[in-house]
Amino acid sequence: MGGDQVEEAVAGCVAALRPAVDQDWTAVRAGGLEWNCHDTAVHVADDLVAYAANLAGRAQDGYFPFELTLGDGTDNTGLLQVVEATGALLAAAVRTAPPGVRAFHPYPFRSADRAGFAAMGVAEVLLHTHDMAQGLGLAYEPSADLAESVLTWIFPHVQPGPAPWPTLLWATGRGELPGRAPVTEWRWRNNLVVPAERVTLTGIRPAAADDLRLGGTGGFDWIEGGPYEGTREACSHLMKAYEAGVHRPEFGVFALVRPEDGRAVGGIGFHGAPDEEGRVEIGYDLAVGARGNGYATEALRALTGWALAREDVDVVLLTVEHDNVPSQRVATRAGFTRATVEEERLAQDKHDLDAGLRLYIHHS
């Protein structure tokens, strides 16, 4: 997801709407929206340039205080040129932003990276082109690849459907899918990032997890020996949850990225969402070349603190192999205590703990 996808989406928008430039767009409602087609097109251009400005300017606390205004007498052809230009600005901002840079966007964690801004821009273009095409009586359907990219980057909570475009329309209240209730309220979701001392825990989206489980990098710049097999296995579990429609992104998998050089050194994540008793379990690994530097302790402490600050989490668990002394030391340094014999026996009875593993507990 990047500048190429933004340009592809904008080119498709302009090509679809150009046959209707002689119509009065102010007199035609855009699909199911309250806006007319003219105002919807201005909204698209305004969003594209706002995303470009926030990303390029590294906005941290809100949108930059400006608004797009068309010149007097701008006709529909000129309006499409504005959409093209603002799309080019976003594509350029995405291409020139370093991978780890994040800027303000309100939902849900108050920031987005370059892929997030690209995906949001593509989503705005695809969905509102659909709205305008409906109002103007035009045929429009973007490529399945573009629709799927939007879903896997900023709709990680939405179960994949039989085809990406109808699924995206359904997920945004614009269509129906067999066997699924209509959507009346929706939001996309940028990934969660949790800062630690010398690493940043960067949430891995389904698009990146799919690449990692298949042997790729997930778009991260890994140090030699990374990612370790535990991260790839965790991404495989993430994809199973995503495909089943039970993935909760904030309780997913994170890459450990060093801000100093942008290199990924390991992975950490949850085994799933909190159970009915408010328990979550964390697992982690590091590339061999990153071990012995305290990264795992910092990451574990940060993710545990984030989890225990939530109302739905009371206990964080770790299971560590009996002979893995370094990992046991990580658990202790991060504030975990070894479970009692009775607690371990109870966990074994519940099939939470295999023989040869040791349970560590961190209470809120």
Side-chain angles (χ1 to χ4, degrees):
M1 176 58 74
D4 289 352
Q5 286 70 33
V6 174
E7 290 177 340
E8 180 185 348
V10 170
C13 165
V14 172
L17 299 180
R18 187 175 286 127
V21 292
D22 292 333
Q23 295 188 40
D24 181 1
W25 290 11
T26 64
V28 180
R29 187 171 168 177
L33 303 182
E34 295 297 328
W35 299 329
N36 62 47
C37 288
H38 177 275
D39 291 345
T40 303
V42 173
H43 168 79
V44 170
D46 197 34
D47 274 351
L48 291 173
V49 74
Y51 292 162
N54 270 28
L55 181 58
R58 315 293 193 256
Q60 296 301 308
D61 300 319
Y63 284 104
F64 285 122
F66 72 90
E67 186 174 359
L68 179 71
T69 302
L70 297 181
D72 292 341
T74 301
D75 60 10
N76 293 334
T77 298
L79 179 51
L80 290 182
Q81 291 174 336
V82 172
V83 172
E84 284 184 302
T86 53
L89 290 173
L90 177 57
V94 168
R95 290 191 178 110
T96 56
V101 164
R102 299 184 73 85
F104 174 82
H105 187 273
Y107 189 79
F109 304 115
R110 298 187 64 78
S111 73
D113 60 10
R114 62 183 186 181
F117 276 105
M120 291 187 292
V122 171
E124 290 283 354
V125 172
L126 299 190
L127 295 170
H128 288 317
T129 302
H130 164 80
D131 299 332
M132 290 182 284
Q134 271 195 330
L136 295 167
L138 301 171
Y140 172 73
E141 182 171 341
S143 72
D145 286 345
L146 267 185
E148 183 176 23
S149 291
V150 170
L151 288 167
T152 55
W153 283 101
I154 56 172
F155 287 88
H157 53 295
V158 173
Q159 182 181 17
W165 179 233
T167 302
L168 182 58
L169 292 177
W170 167 81
T172 57
R174 290 172 167 83
E176 299 180 354
L177 278 186
R180 300 197 192 185
V183 173
T184 56
E185 294 184 4
W186 61 274
R187 285 186 183 270
W188 55 52
R189 299 180 67 89
N190 282 293
N191 62 333
L192 173 65
V193 170
V194 179
E197 297 170 47
R198 293 171 299 156
V199 292
T200 298
L201 284 60
T202 302
I204 297 177
R205 303 167 170 101
D210 193 37
D211 185 51
L212 281 162
R213 71 168 174 174
L214 296 174
T217 66
F220 295 97
D221 181 14
W222 294 90
I223 67 168
E224 186 176 355
Y228 206 62
E229 60 261 26
T231 297
R232 296 197 188 279
E233 183 179 353
C235 287
S236 179
H237 290 304
L238 185 158
M239 287 305 298
K240 290 178 181 177
Y242 170 66
E243 290 162 357
V246 296
H247 176 49
R248 286 183 60 182
E250 65 271 33
F251 288 102
V253 184
F254 301 78
L256 309 185
V257 180
R258 293 188 304 216
E260 64 185 52
D261 60 4
R263 306 294 299 280
V265 300
I268 191 169
F270 298 96
H271 290 193
D275 64 15
E276 64 279 1
E277 297 175 10
R279 303 183 309 171
V280 290
E281 184 171 354
I282 292 177
Y284 55 86
D285 67 9
L286 291 176
V288 174
R291 296 175 185 175
N293 295 296
Y295 295 139
T297 300
E298 294 175 12
L300 180 58
R301 189 181 293 127
L303 193 58
T304 300
W306 177 86
L308 291 175
R310 296 175 57 93
E311 294 183 356
D312 54 351
V313 176
D314 294 319
V315 177
V316 179
L317 305 176
L318 288 174
T319 53
V320 183
E321 293 178 357
H322 178 66
D323 57 355
N324 190 346
V325 176
S327 191
Q328 293 175 24
R329 290 172 178 163
V330 167
T332 301
R333 288 195 295 266
F336 286 75
T337 57
R338 171 76 183 274
T340 65
V341 173
E342 182 59 32
E343 286 172 326
E344 289 191 351
R345 183 178 296 115
L346 180 62
Q348 288 174 341
D349 291 342
K350 292 185 175 181
H351 307 289
D352 290 334
L353 188 65
D354 297 327
L357 296 179
R358 293 295 178 260
L359 182 68
Y360 288 79
I361 302 176
H362 197 304
H363 294 272
S364 59

